Amino acid sequence: MTDAPDVGELTPPNRTLMGPGPSDVHPRVLRAMSTPLVGHLDPSFIEIMQEVQDLMRYTFRTDNKWTIPVSGTGSASMEAAIGNLVEPGDTMLVPTNGYFGGRMASMARRAGGEVVEVDAPWGEPLDPADVEDAFETHQPDVFGFVHAETSTGVKQPNVPELTAIAHSHDAYVVADCVTSLGGVELRVDDWDVDVAYSGPQKCLSCPPGASPLTLNDRAMDKVLSRETDPRSWYLDLSLLEGYWGEERAYHHTAPITNVYAIREALRLVAEEGIENRWARHLDVARSLKAGVEAMGLGLNPEPDAWLPSLNAVRVPDGVDDGAAIDYLLEHYDLEIAGGLGDLAGDVFRIGCMGHSAREANVCYLVPALGEALEAQGADVDVDAGLAAMRAEMAE
Ligand SMILES: *Cc1c(COP(=O)(O)O)cnc(C)c1O
């Protein structure tokens, strides 16, 4: 047998996280995570569950009773949404304009659904007219779209228009709100979204582990009247209802520490006020955008599809994106990311999420990015970038 490995104390580098997630965690959330464990059926924990659900409803802007943290990362709440709502034989309409629409398709197929697509290029939002056409052609039972596409930095505008199209065809709407919840305007009830899911480590600035999910009664009725059980036992909402609903009976052990964490993260949202929080993300991202644009870099999406929480900045000609990303990590302990899929090599993805959405972070990032590009001989005007960034901050 091997000897005991000689593993040193855990000393991760102290990064500034401005990539596509995770974002910097608020110190209060880290503190909440170091508080003592209680049992998952402890009366004190039942109270905490209630508080988390109330805070989550506030953040989603919904009165949905079925609002819970799903154990796992954003993909777990995503699979809980799709795996429960889509029944074998159902048709789900998904978008092709980014990485996460593709993941929706995989999950719908695994649930036994048939997948049909509505097309838009990577870097552009869906056009409601195309969604209408797809409904006419395929009559899907479920329509999924990505509100904030982290792979392309695109925010889907006209959400109420999309949900109205789906509902006029008696379909259910599932919205991926992983990179919008708590950072970008999102109104689940007013916009008539049937099912919305999110993750903790984007605009909520909480470590991954417990992921927000909300379903309205109409969607939950479909889930509870399924003819066949969903394929996942762990994510079966009819069973999770026993724990998160009135009964509070054991299904699986809740990730207690992650529930503490999201409680504190959501408490920070409530303290700030959800609308103030949306405004802060917008203001800080505007300074970032002004800075990079004045430096000579372009943002990839059209202005009406710009996603403040994830800025897709075009890589200048002749620059190796990977080398610039490595430069920032090495010299500044600063994390940003490159493009995915159709945009690989074409954009930097710069997050402006939650606790990372601060002016101080933008002041740190803009000159550092400029330096990383200049190190490769790119023609950028860092001084102009800084001046525009400061002017925007003074607005
Ligand atoms: C991050 C992300 C997910 C998946 O979340 P994980 O926490 O990585 O499982 C899903 N959708 C979007 C839009 C995301 O940004």
Short mmCIF file of all heavy atoms in Angstrom, two decimals, residues 115-180:
data_model
loop_
_atom_site.label_atom_id
_atom_site.label_comp_id
_atom_site.label_asym_id
_atom_site.label_seq_id
_atom_site.Cartn_x
_atom_site.Cartn_y
_atom_site.Cartn_z
N VAL A 115 -36.30 16.82 -29.23
CA VAL A 115 -35.78 18.18 -29.23
C VAL A 115 -35.95 18.83 -30.60
O VAL A 115 -35.64 18.21 -31.62
CB VAL A 115 -34.29 18.19 -28.82
CG1 VAL A 115 -33.66 19.55 -29.05
CG2 VAL A 115 -34.15 17.79 -27.35
N VAL A 116 -36.48 20.04 -30.61
CA VAL A 116 -36.51 20.84 -31.83
C VAL A 116 -35.83 22.16 -31.50
O VAL A 116 -35.72 22.53 -30.34
CB VAL A 116 -37.97 21.06 -32.34
CG1 VAL A 116 -38.55 19.75 -32.86
CG2 VAL A 116 -38.84 21.66 -31.27
N GLU A 117 -35.38 22.86 -32.55
CA GLU A 117 -34.53 24.02 -32.28
C GLU A 117 -35.05 25.31 -32.91
O GLU A 117 -35.68 25.28 -33.97
CB GLU A 117 -33.11 23.74 -32.83
CG GLU A 117 -32.40 22.65 -32.05
CD GLU A 117 -31.07 22.26 -32.66
OE1 GLU A 117 -30.87 22.48 -33.87
OE2 GLU A 117 -30.22 21.74 -31.92
N VAL A 118 -34.75 26.41 -32.24
CA VAL A 118 -34.94 27.72 -32.85
C VAL A 118 -33.54 28.33 -32.96
O VAL A 118 -32.79 28.38 -31.99
CB VAL A 118 -35.93 28.62 -32.06
CG1 VAL A 118 -35.63 28.69 -30.57
CG2 VAL A 118 -35.96 30.03 -32.65
N ASP A 119 -33.20 28.73 -34.18
CA ASP A 119 -31.82 29.14 -34.47
C ASP A 119 -31.59 30.64 -34.30
O ASP A 119 -32.44 31.45 -34.64
CB ASP A 119 -31.46 28.79 -35.92
CG ASP A 119 -31.35 27.29 -36.13
OD1 ASP A 119 -30.85 26.61 -35.21
OD2 ASP A 119 -31.78 26.80 -37.20
N ALA A 120 -30.41 30.94 -33.83
CA ALA A 120 -29.85 32.29 -33.89
C ALA A 120 -28.35 32.08 -33.79
O ALA A 120 -27.91 31.10 -33.18
CB ALA A 120 -30.36 33.18 -32.76
N PRO A 121 -27.55 32.96 -34.40
CA PRO A 121 -26.10 32.80 -34.30
C PRO A 121 -25.62 33.00 -32.86
O PRO A 121 -26.26 33.72 -32.09
CB PRO A 121 -25.55 33.92 -35.20
CG PRO A 121 -26.70 34.40 -36.02
CD PRO A 121 -27.94 34.12 -35.23
N TRP A 122 -24.51 32.37 -32.53
CA TRP A 122 -23.85 32.62 -31.24
C TRP A 122 -23.51 34.12 -31.19
O TRP A 122 -22.91 34.65 -32.13
CB TRP A 122 -22.57 31.80 -31.12
CG TRP A 122 -22.81 30.36 -30.72
CD1 TRP A 122 -23.67 29.49 -31.31
CD2 TRP A 122 -22.17 29.66 -29.65
NE1 TRP A 122 -23.60 28.27 -30.66
CE2 TRP A 122 -22.68 28.36 -29.65
CE3 TRP A 122 -21.21 30.00 -28.69
CZ2 TRP A 122 -22.26 27.39 -28.72
CZ3 TRP A 122 -20.79 29.04 -27.78
CH2 TRP A 122 -21.32 27.76 -27.79
N GLY A 123 -23.89 34.77 -30.09
CA GLY A 123 -23.60 36.19 -29.96
C GLY A 123 -24.81 37.06 -30.26
O GLY A 123 -24.76 38.27 -30.14
N GLU A 124 -25.91 36.41 -30.68
CA GLU A 124 -27.15 37.17 -30.91
C GLU A 124 -28.29 36.56 -30.11
O GLU A 124 -28.27 35.36 -29.83
CB GLU A 124 -27.50 37.15 -32.41
CG GLU A 124 -26.56 37.98 -33.25
CD GLU A 124 -26.92 37.94 -34.73
OE1 GLU A 124 -28.11 37.72 -35.06
OE2 GLU A 124 -26.00 38.12 -35.54
N PRO A 125 -29.29 37.37 -29.76
CA PRO A 125 -30.44 36.82 -29.04
C PRO A 125 -31.41 36.14 -30.01
O PRO A 125 -31.25 36.23 -31.22
CB PRO A 125 -31.09 38.06 -28.42
CG PRO A 125 -30.71 39.18 -29.31
CD PRO A 125 -29.39 38.83 -29.94
N LEU A 126 -32.42 35.48 -29.48
CA LEU A 126 -33.47 34.90 -30.31
C LEU A 126 -34.38 36.00 -30.81
O LEU A 126 -34.65 36.98 -30.10
CB LEU A 126 -34.33 33.92 -29.49
CG LEU A 126 -33.64 32.68 -28.94
CD1 LEU A 126 -34.64 31.86 -28.12
CD2 LEU A 126 -33.03 31.84 -30.06
N ASP A 127 -34.86 35.84 -32.02
CA ASP A 127 -35.83 36.76 -32.59
C ASP A 127 -37.23 36.19 -32.32
O ASP A 127 -37.50 35.04 -32.69
CB ASP A 127 -35.57 36.86 -34.10
CG ASP A 127 -36.49 37.85 -34.79
OD1 ASP A 127 -37.59 38.12 -34.24
OD2 ASP A 127 -36.11 38.34 -35.86
N PRO A 128 -38.11 36.97 -31.67
CA PRO A 128 -39.44 36.45 -31.37
C PRO A 128 -40.17 35.89 -32.60
O PRO A 128 -40.90 34.91 -32.49
CB PRO A 128 -40.19 37.66 -30.80
CG PRO A 128 -39.11 38.53 -30.24
CD PRO A 128 -37.90 38.32 -31.11
N ALA A 129 -39.92 36.47 -33.77
CA ALA A 129 -40.57 35.97 -34.99
C ALA A 129 -40.12 34.53 -35.29
O ALA A 129 -40.92 33.70 -35.74
CB ALA A 129 -40.25 36.88 -36.17
N ASP A 130 -38.86 34.24 -35.03
CA ASP A 130 -38.36 32.88 -35.25
C ASP A 130 -38.95 31.91 -34.23
O ASP A 130 -39.19 30.74 -34.54
CB ASP A 130 -36.82 32.86 -35.15
CG ASP A 130 -36.17 33.65 -36.27
OD1 ASP A 130 -36.81 33.82 -37.33
OD2 ASP A 130 -35.02 34.11 -36.08
N VAL A 131 -39.15 32.41 -33.01
CA VAL A 131 -39.76 31.56 -31.98
C VAL A 131 -41.19 31.24 -32.39
O VAL A 131 -41.64 30.08 -32.32
CB VAL A 131 -39.70 32.25 -30.60
CG1 VAL A 131 -40.46 31.44 -29.55
CG2 VAL A 131 -38.24 32.44 -30.17
N GLU A 132 -41.90 32.25 -32.87
CA GLU A 132 -43.28 32.05 -33.34
C GLU A 132 -43.31 31.00 -34.48
O GLU A 132 -44.12 30.07 -34.46
CB GLU A 132 -43.86 33.39 -33.82
CG GLU A 132 -45.27 33.34 -34.37
CD GLU A 132 -46.34 33.05 -33.31
OE1 GLU A 132 -46.40 33.81 -32.32
OE2 GLU A 132 -47.09 32.06 -33.46
N ASP A 133 -42.40 31.15 -35.43
CA ASP A 133 -42.32 30.19 -36.54
C ASP A 133 -42.06 28.77 -36.04
O ASP A 133 -42.67 27.81 -36.51
CB ASP A 133 -41.17 30.56 -37.51
CG ASP A 133 -41.53 31.75 -38.37
OD1 ASP A 133 -42.72 32.14 -38.38
OD2 ASP A 133 -40.61 32.31 -39.01
N ALA A 134 -41.14 28.66 -35.09
CA ALA A 134 -40.81 27.33 -34.55
C ALA A 134 -42.04 26.72 -33.87
O ALA A 134 -42.28 25.52 -33.96
CB ALA A 134 -39.64 27.43 -33.58
N PHE A 135 -42.82 27.56 -33.20
CA PHE A 135 -44.05 27.06 -32.57
C PHE A 135 -45.05 26.57 -33.62
O PHE A 135 -45.66 25.52 -33.46
CB PHE A 135 -44.67 28.12 -31.65
CG PHE A 135 -44.23 27.96 -30.22
CD1 PHE A 135 -43.16 28.70 -29.73
CD2 PHE A 135 -44.86 27.06 -29.37
CE1 PHE A 135 -42.72 28.53 -28.43
CE2 PHE A 135 -44.44 26.88 -28.06
CZ PHE A 135 -43.37 27.62 -27.58
N GLU A 136 -45.21 27.35 -34.69
CA GLU A 136 -46.14 26.96 -35.76
C GLU A 136 -45.72 25.62 -36.36
O GLU A 136 -46.54 24.75 -36.62
CB GLU A 136 -46.15 28.01 -36.88
CG GLU A 136 -46.57 29.41 -36.47
CD GLU A 136 -48.06 29.52 -36.15
OE1 GLU A 136 -48.81 28.62 -36.56
OE2 GLU A 136 -48.43 30.49 -35.46
N THR A 137 -44.40 25.48 -36.58
CA THR A 137 -43.90 24.28 -37.24
C THR A 137 -43.93 23.04 -36.34
O THR A 137 -44.32 21.97 -36.78
CB THR A 137 -42.43 24.51 -37.69
OG1 THR A 137 -42.38 25.75 -38.39
CG2 THR A 137 -41.93 23.39 -38.59
N HIS A 138 -43.51 23.20 -35.08
CA HIS A 138 -43.28 22.01 -34.24
C HIS A 138 -44.28 21.81 -33.11
O HIS A 138 -44.29 20.75 -32.51
CB HIS A 138 -41.87 22.08 -33.62
CG HIS A 138 -40.76 22.24 -34.61
ND1 HIS A 138 -40.43 21.26 -35.51
CD2 HIS A 138 -39.89 23.27 -34.84
CE1 HIS A 138 -39.40 21.66 -36.24
NE2 HIS A 138 -39.06 22.89 -35.87
N GLN A 139 -45.05 22.82 -32.77
CA GLN A 139 -45.97 22.73 -31.63
C GLN A 139 -45.33 22.08 -30.40
O GLN A 139 -45.82 21.07 -29.88
CB GLN A 139 -47.24 21.93 -32.03
CG GLN A 139 -48.06 22.57 -33.14
CD GLN A 139 -48.66 23.92 -32.73
OE1 GLN A 139 -48.92 24.16 -31.54
NE2 GLN A 139 -48.86 24.82 -33.66
N PRO A 140 -44.22 22.64 -29.91
CA PRO A 140 -43.56 22.02 -28.76
C PRO A 140 -44.41 22.12 -27.47
O PRO A 140 -45.26 23.01 -27.35
CB PRO A 140 -42.28 22.84 -28.61
CG PRO A 140 -42.61 24.16 -29.21
CD PRO A 140 -43.54 23.88 -30.34
N ASP A 141 -44.14 21.19 -26.54
CA ASP A 141 -44.83 21.22 -25.24
C ASP A 141 -44.11 22.13 -24.25
O ASP A 141 -44.71 22.67 -23.33
CB ASP A 141 -44.88 19.80 -24.64
CG ASP A 141 -45.50 18.81 -25.61
OD1 ASP A 141 -46.73 18.85 -25.74
OD2 ASP A 141 -44.75 18.04 -26.26
N VAL A 142 -42.79 22.21 -24.42
CA VAL A 142 -41.96 22.99 -23.50
C VAL A 142 -41.02 23.86 -24.34
O VAL A 142 -40.49 23.41 -25.36
CB VAL A 142 -41.11 22.06 -22.59
CG1 VAL A 142 -40.20 22.86 -21.68
CG2 VAL A 142 -42.02 21.14 -21.76
N PHE A 143 -40.86 25.11 -23.91
CA PHE A 143 -39.94 26.03 -24.58
C PHE A 143 -38.88 26.48 -23.58
O PHE A 143 -39.21 27.06 -22.54
CB PHE A 143 -40.71 27.23 -25.13
CG PHE A 143 -39.83 28.39 -25.56
CD1 PHE A 143 -38.74 28.20 -26.40
CD2 PHE A 143 -40.11 29.69 -25.12
CE1 PHE A 143 -37.93 29.26 -26.80
CE2 PHE A 143 -39.32 30.77 -25.52
CZ PHE A 143 -38.23 30.55 -26.35
N GLY A 144 -37.62 26.20 -23.88
CA GLY A 144 -36.54 26.65 -23.01
C GLY A 144 -35.76 27.75 -23.69
O GLY A 144 -35.52 27.71 -24.89
N PHE A 145 -35.38 28.75 -22.92
CA PHE A 145 -34.48 29.78 -23.46
C PHE A 145 -33.52 30.20 -22.35
O PHE A 145 -33.74 29.92 -21.17
CB PHE A 145 -35.27 30.98 -24.01
CG PHE A 145 -35.83 31.88 -22.95
CD1 PHE A 145 -35.13 32.99 -22.51
CD2 PHE A 145 -37.06 31.60 -22.36
CE1 PHE A 145 -35.64 33.82 -21.51
CE2 PHE A 145 -37.57 32.42 -21.36
CZ PHE A 145 -36.86 33.53 -20.94
N VAL A 146 -32.43 30.84 -22.76
CA VAL A 146 -31.41 31.26 -21.81
C VAL A 146 -31.50 32.77 -21.66
O VAL A 146 -31.27 33.51 -22.63
CB VAL A 146 -30.01 30.81 -22.28
CG1 VAL A 146 -28.95 31.22 -21.26
CG2 VAL A 146 -29.99 29.30 -22.52
N HIS A 147 -31.87 33.22 -20.48
CA HIS A 147 -32.04 34.66 -20.26
C HIS A 147 -30.70 35.37 -20.33
O HIS A 147 -30.61 36.45 -20.92
CB HIS A 147 -32.72 34.90 -18.90
CG HIS A 147 -32.98 36.34 -18.61
ND1 HIS A 147 -32.77 36.90 -17.37
CD2 HIS A 147 -33.42 37.34 -19.41
CE1 HIS A 147 -33.08 38.20 -17.43
NE2 HIS A 147 -33.49 38.49 -18.64
N ALA A 148 -29.68 34.77 -19.74
CA ALA A 148 -28.34 35.38 -19.73
C ALA A 148 -27.36 34.31 -20.19
O ALA A 148 -27.02 33.43 -19.41
CB ALA A 148 -28.00 35.88 -18.34
N GLU A 149 -26.96 34.37 -21.44
CA GLU A 149 -26.11 33.32 -22.03
C GLU A 149 -24.65 33.62 -21.68
O GLU A 149 -24.02 34.48 -22.29
CB GLU A 149 -26.37 33.27 -23.53
CG GLU A 149 -26.02 32.03 -24.34
CD GLU A 149 -25.70 30.70 -23.67
OE1 GLU A 149 -24.66 30.64 -23.00
OE2 GLU A 149 -26.43 29.72 -23.88
N THR A 150 -24.14 32.91 -20.71
CA THR A 150 -22.79 33.14 -20.19
C THR A 150 -21.72 32.82 -21.23
O THR A 150 -20.60 33.30 -21.14
CB THR A 150 -22.58 32.27 -18.94
OG1 THR A 150 -23.82 32.23 -18.22
CG2 THR A 150 -21.52 32.84 -18.03
N SER A 151 -22.06 31.99 -22.21
CA SER A 151 -21.05 31.63 -23.21
C SER A 151 -20.87 32.72 -24.26
O SER A 151 -19.84 32.77 -24.93
CB SER A 151 -21.43 30.31 -23.91
OG SER A 151 -22.62 30.46 -24.66
N THR A 152 -21.85 33.61 -24.40
CA THR A 152 -21.78 34.62 -25.46
C THR A 152 -21.93 36.05 -24.94
O THR A 152 -21.77 37.00 -25.71
CB THR A 152 -22.91 34.41 -26.49
OG1 THR A 152 -24.16 34.51 -25.79
CG2 THR A 152 -22.82 33.04 -27.15
N GLY A 153 -22.29 36.22 -23.67
CA GLY A 153 -22.52 37.55 -23.13
C GLY A 153 -23.77 38.20 -23.70
O GLY A 153 -23.84 39.42 -23.83
N VAL A 154 -24.75 37.38 -24.04
CA VAL A 154 -25.99 37.90 -24.61
C VAL A 154 -27.13 37.81 -23.61
O VAL A 154 -27.37 36.75 -23.02
CB VAL A 154 -26.37 37.13 -25.90
CG1 VAL A 154 -27.81 37.40 -26.30
CG2 VAL A 154 -25.43 37.53 -27.03
N LYS A 155 -27.82 38.93 -23.43
CA LYS A 155 -29.05 38.93 -22.64
C LYS A 155 -30.21 38.82 -23.61
O LYS A 155 -30.26 39.56 -24.60
CB LYS A 155 -29.16 40.22 -21.83
CG LYS A 155 -30.39 40.25 -20.94
CD LYS A 155 -30.48 41.54 -20.16
CE LYS A 155 -30.92 42.69 -21.06
NZ LYS A 155 -31.26 43.91 -20.31
N GLN A 156 -31.13 37.93 -23.33
CA GLN A 156 -32.30 37.80 -24.18
C GLN A 156 -33.29 38.91 -23.85
O GLN A 156 -33.85 38.94 -22.76
CB GLN A 156 -32.97 36.43 -23.95
CG GLN A 156 -34.22 36.20 -24.79
CD GLN A 156 -33.93 36.19 -26.29
OE1 GLN A 156 -33.04 35.51 -26.77
NE2 GLN A 156 -34.71 36.97 -27.04
N PRO A 157 -33.48 39.88 -24.78
CA PRO A 157 -34.50 40.90 -24.51
C PRO A 157 -35.89 40.32 -24.79
O PRO A 157 -36.01 39.15 -25.12
CB PRO A 157 -34.15 42.03 -25.48
CG PRO A 157 -33.21 41.47 -26.49
CD PRO A 157 -32.81 40.08 -26.07
N ASN A 158 -36.88 41.12 -24.67
CA ASN A 158 -38.29 40.76 -24.92
C ASN A 158 -38.75 39.43 -24.34
O ASN A 158 -39.42 38.66 -25.00
CB ASN A 158 -38.69 40.79 -26.42
CG ASN A 158 -37.52 40.79 -27.41
OD1 ASN A 158 -36.71 39.89 -27.47
ND2 ASN A 158 -37.45 41.85 -28.15
N VAL A 159 -38.41 39.19 -23.08
CA VAL A 159 -38.87 37.92 -22.47
C VAL A 159 -40.40 37.83 -22.42
O VAL A 159 -40.95 36.77 -22.77
CB VAL A 159 -38.24 37.74 -21.06
CG1 VAL A 159 -38.84 36.54 -20.35
CG2 VAL A 159 -36.73 37.59 -21.19
N PRO A 160 -41.13 38.89 -22.03
CA PRO A 160 -42.60 38.75 -21.99
C PRO A 160 -43.19 38.38 -23.35
O PRO A 160 -44.18 37.65 -23.43
CB PRO A 160 -43.09 40.13 -21.53
CG PRO A 160 -41.92 40.72 -20.81
CD PRO A 160 -40.70 40.21 -21.52
N GLU A 161 -42.56 38.86 -24.42
CA GLU A 161 -43.03 38.53 -25.75
C GLU A 161 -42.85 37.02 -26.03
O GLU A 161 -43.73 36.36 -26.60
CB GLU A 161 -42.23 39.34 -26.77
CG GLU A 161 -42.97 39.66 -28.05
CD GLU A 161 -42.12 40.52 -28.98
OE1 GLU A 161 -41.39 41.42 -28.49
OE2 GLU A 161 -42.17 40.28 -30.19
N LEU A 162 -41.72 36.50 -25.61
CA LEU A 162 -41.46 35.07 -25.82
C LEU A 162 -42.41 34.20 -25.00
O LEU A 162 -42.94 33.19 -25.50
CB LEU A 162 -40.01 34.71 -25.44
CG LEU A 162 -38.90 35.39 -26.22
CD1 LEU A 162 -37.53 34.85 -25.79
CD2 LEU A 162 -39.08 35.21 -27.72
N THR A 163 -42.65 34.58 -23.75
CA THR A 163 -43.53 33.75 -22.92
C THR A 163 -44.97 33.83 -23.45
O THR A 163 -45.70 32.85 -23.40
CB THR A 163 -43.48 34.15 -21.43
OG1 THR A 163 -43.86 35.52 -21.29
CG2 THR A 163 -42.10 33.97 -20.83
N ALA A 164 -45.35 34.99 -23.99
CA ALA A 164 -46.70 35.12 -24.55
C ALA A 164 -46.88 34.20 -25.76
O ALA A 164 -47.93 33.56 -25.91
CB ALA A 164 -46.98 36.58 -24.94
N ILE A 165 -45.86 34.10 -26.58
CA ILE A 165 -45.93 33.20 -27.74
C ILE A 165 -46.11 31.75 -27.25
O ILE A 165 -46.99 31.03 -27.71
CB ILE A 165 -44.64 33.31 -28.61
CG1 ILE A 165 -44.55 34.69 -29.25
CG2 ILE A 165 -44.60 32.20 -29.67
CD1 ILE A 165 -43.19 35.00 -29.88
N ALA A 166 -45.28 31.37 -26.29
CA ALA A 166 -45.35 29.99 -25.79
C ALA A 166 -46.73 29.69 -25.20
O ALA A 166 -47.32 28.64 -25.45
CB ALA A 166 -44.25 29.76 -24.75
N HIS A 167 -47.23 30.63 -24.43
CA HIS A 167 -48.51 30.37 -23.75
C HIS A 167 -49.69 30.37 -24.72
O HIS A 167 -50.65 29.65 -24.51
CB HIS A 167 -48.71 31.36 -22.61
CG HIS A 167 -47.75 31.13 -21.47
ND1 HIS A 167 -47.16 32.14 -20.76
CD2 HIS A 167 -47.24 29.97 -20.98
CE1 HIS A 167 -46.34 31.62 -19.84
NE2 HIS A 167 -46.37 30.31 -19.96
N SER A 168 -49.57 31.14 -25.80
CA SER A 168 -50.66 31.11 -26.79
C SER A 168 -50.68 29.76 -27.51
O SER A 168 -51.65 29.41 -28.17
CB SER A 168 -50.52 32.27 -27.78
OG SER A 168 -49.43 32.01 -28.65
N HIS A 169 -49.59 28.99 -27.34
CA HIS A 169 -49.55 27.64 -27.91
C HIS A 169 -49.61 26.59 -26.80
O HIS A 169 -49.20 25.43 -27.00
CB HIS A 169 -48.27 27.45 -28.73
CG HIS A 169 -48.23 28.24 -30.00
ND1 HIS A 169 -48.67 27.76 -31.21
CD2 HIS A 169 -47.83 29.52 -30.23
CE1 HIS A 169 -48.52 28.70 -32.14
NE2 HIS A 169 -48.02 29.78 -31.58
N ASP A 170 -50.07 27.01 -25.62
CA ASP A 170 -50.23 26.09 -24.47
C ASP A 170 -48.95 25.37 -24.06
O ASP A 170 -49.00 24.24 -23.56
CB ASP A 170 -51.30 25.01 -24.78
CG ASP A 170 -52.68 25.61 -24.75
OD1 ASP A 170 -52.88 26.55 -23.96
OD2 ASP A 170 -53.53 25.16 -25.54
N ALA A 171 -47.81 26.00 -24.27
CA ALA A 171 -46.55 25.37 -23.86
C ALA A 171 -46.09 25.94 -22.51
O ALA A 171 -46.59 26.96 -22.05
CB ALA A 171 -45.49 25.61 -24.93
N TYR A 172 -45.15 25.25 -21.93
CA TYR A 172 -44.54 25.69 -20.67
C TYR A 172 -43.20 26.34 -20.99
O TYR A 172 -42.48 25.88 -21.88
CB TYR A 172 -44.31 24.49 -19.75
CG TYR A 172 -45.58 23.82 -19.32
CD1 TYR A 172 -46.22 22.89 -20.15
CD2 TYR A 172 -46.18 24.13 -18.10
CE1 TYR A 172 -47.40 22.28 -19.78
CE2 TYR A 172 -47.37 23.53 -17.72
CZ TYR A 172 -47.97 22.61 -18.56
OH TYR A 172 -49.15 22.02 -18.18
N VAL A 173 -42.88 27.37 -20.21
CA VAL A 173 -41.63 28.10 -20.45
C VAL A 173 -40.62 27.82 -19.33
O VAL A 173 -40.94 27.99 -18.15
CB VAL A 173 -41.89 29.63 -20.51
CG1 VAL A 173 -40.58 30.39 -20.66
CG2 VAL A 173 -42.85 29.96 -21.63
N VAL A 174 -39.42 27.41 -19.73
CA VAL A 174 -38.32 27.22 -18.78
C VAL A 174 -37.23 28.24 -19.11
O VAL A 174 -36.76 28.29 -20.24
CB VAL A 174 -37.69 25.81 -18.92
CG1 VAL A 174 -36.55 25.65 -17.93
CG2 VAL A 174 -38.73 24.73 -18.72
N ALA A 175 -36.86 29.04 -18.12
CA ALA A 175 -35.83 30.06 -18.36
C ALA A 175 -34.57 29.74 -17.57
O ALA A 175 -34.63 29.50 -16.36
CB ALA A 175 -36.35 31.44 -17.96
N ASP A 176 -33.44 29.73 -18.27
CA ASP A 176 -32.14 29.61 -17.62
C ASP A 176 -31.75 31.01 -17.13
O ASP A 176 -31.49 31.91 -17.94
CB ASP A 176 -31.10 29.08 -18.62
CG ASP A 176 -29.72 28.89 -17.98
OD1 ASP A 176 -29.31 29.76 -17.19
OD2 ASP A 176 -29.06 27.89 -18.29
N CYS A 177 -31.76 31.16 -15.82
CA CYS A 177 -31.46 32.47 -15.22
C CYS A 177 -30.19 32.38 -14.38
O CYS A 177 -30.04 33.12 -13.41
CB CYS A 177 -32.63 32.93 -14.37
SG CYS A 177 -34.16 33.02 -15.31
N VAL A 178 -29.29 31.49 -14.77
CA VAL A 178 -28.11 31.24 -13.94
C VAL A 178 -27.27 32.51 -13.80
O VAL A 178 -26.82 32.86 -12.71
CB VAL A 178 -27.29 30.05 -14.48
CG1 VAL A 178 -26.02 29.87 -13.66
CG2 VAL A 178 -28.11 28.76 -14.45
N THR A 179 -27.09 33.25 -14.90
CA THR A 179 -26.23 34.44 -14.83
C THR A 179 -27.05 35.74 -14.78
O THR A 179 -26.52 36.83 -14.91
CB THR A 179 -25.21 34.38 -16.00
OG1 THR A 179 -24.32 33.29 -15.73
CG2 THR A 179 -24.34 35.62 -16.14
N SER A 180 -28.35 35.61 -14.57
CA SER A 180 -29.14 36.85 -14.39
C SER A 180 -29.66 37.01 -12.96
O SER A 180 -29.73 38.13 -12.46
CB SER A 180 -30.29 36.92 -15.40
OG SER A 180 -31.14 35.81 -15.33
#
